[in-house]
Amino acid sequence: QHSICQDCLTLSITNQIMNESSLFPKCPLRHCQVFLTHDELANYGTIEALESLNRQTAYRILRAFDCPNLECKELLLPNHCEGLERHCPRCSIEICKRCNLLKHDEDCMSIS
């Protein structure tokens, strides 16, 4: 265990998360390769950085995506229902299941 100034730790956590360099932020000291615990992230990370980390985790691990309605941007998880359309539970907009964009009439060639 070693000491680091709280402001430096917060800045390092924020930079690592916001630069999307890692889903698992590490201790900012060069010689230390220890991953920070959830409690350390919660105690020293900014709210914005932690929200960003949660979204990055959802995108990468859960294959989540944002609602294509730019006024909504709800974080959505893949829907495994039958058919090619799905709806955003927040704004109710129809979404193409193949490409995750707004529902469109033309055939979607995207591979999901």
Side-chain angles (χ1 to χ4, degrees):
Q1 190 174 25
H2 41 263
S3 298
I4 186 166
C5 138
Q6 182 175 339
D7 290 343
C8 293
L9 182 57
T10 297
L11 182 62
S12 175
I13 290 170
T14 300
N15 286 339
Q16 288 182 64
I17 292 170
M18 300 310 272
N19 293 331
E20 299 184 17
S21 60
S22 175
L23 283 180
F24 308 102
K26 293 181 182 177
C27 173
L29 298 179
R30 286 187 186 156
H31 67 277
C32 184
Q33 293 297 306
V34 173
F35 292 108
L36 298 172
T37 67
H38 183 277
D39 287 342
E40 289 167 331
L41 294 174
N43 288 332
Y44 300 108
T46 64
I47 299 290
E48 296 81 12
L50 296 175
E51 288 174 356
S52 178
L53 181 62
N54 289 338
R55 288 184 90 80
Q56 289 175 47
T57 302
Y59 295 143
R60 293 181 189 178
I61 296 173
L62 302 176
R63 296 181 52 206
F65 61 97
D66 290 322
C67 173
N69 178 354
L70 298 178
E71 295 176 8
C72 176
K73 301 301 269 184
E74 179 79 4
L75 183 67
L76 303 172
L77 297 176
N79 186 344
H80 301 289
C81 66
E82 295 297 318
L84 295 179
E85 287 84 32
R86 62 178 95 173
H87 297 81
C88 173
R90 182 172 173 212
C91 71
S92 300
I93 199 159
E94 289 185 80
I95 302 166
C96 176
K97 186 174 180 180
R98 287 194 177 173
C99 68
N100 295 332
L101 298 176
L102 295 175
K103 181 183 173 197
H104 44 89
D105 293 328
E106 63 274 1
D107 288 338
C108 183
M109 297 301 196
S110 178
I111 299 172
S112 56

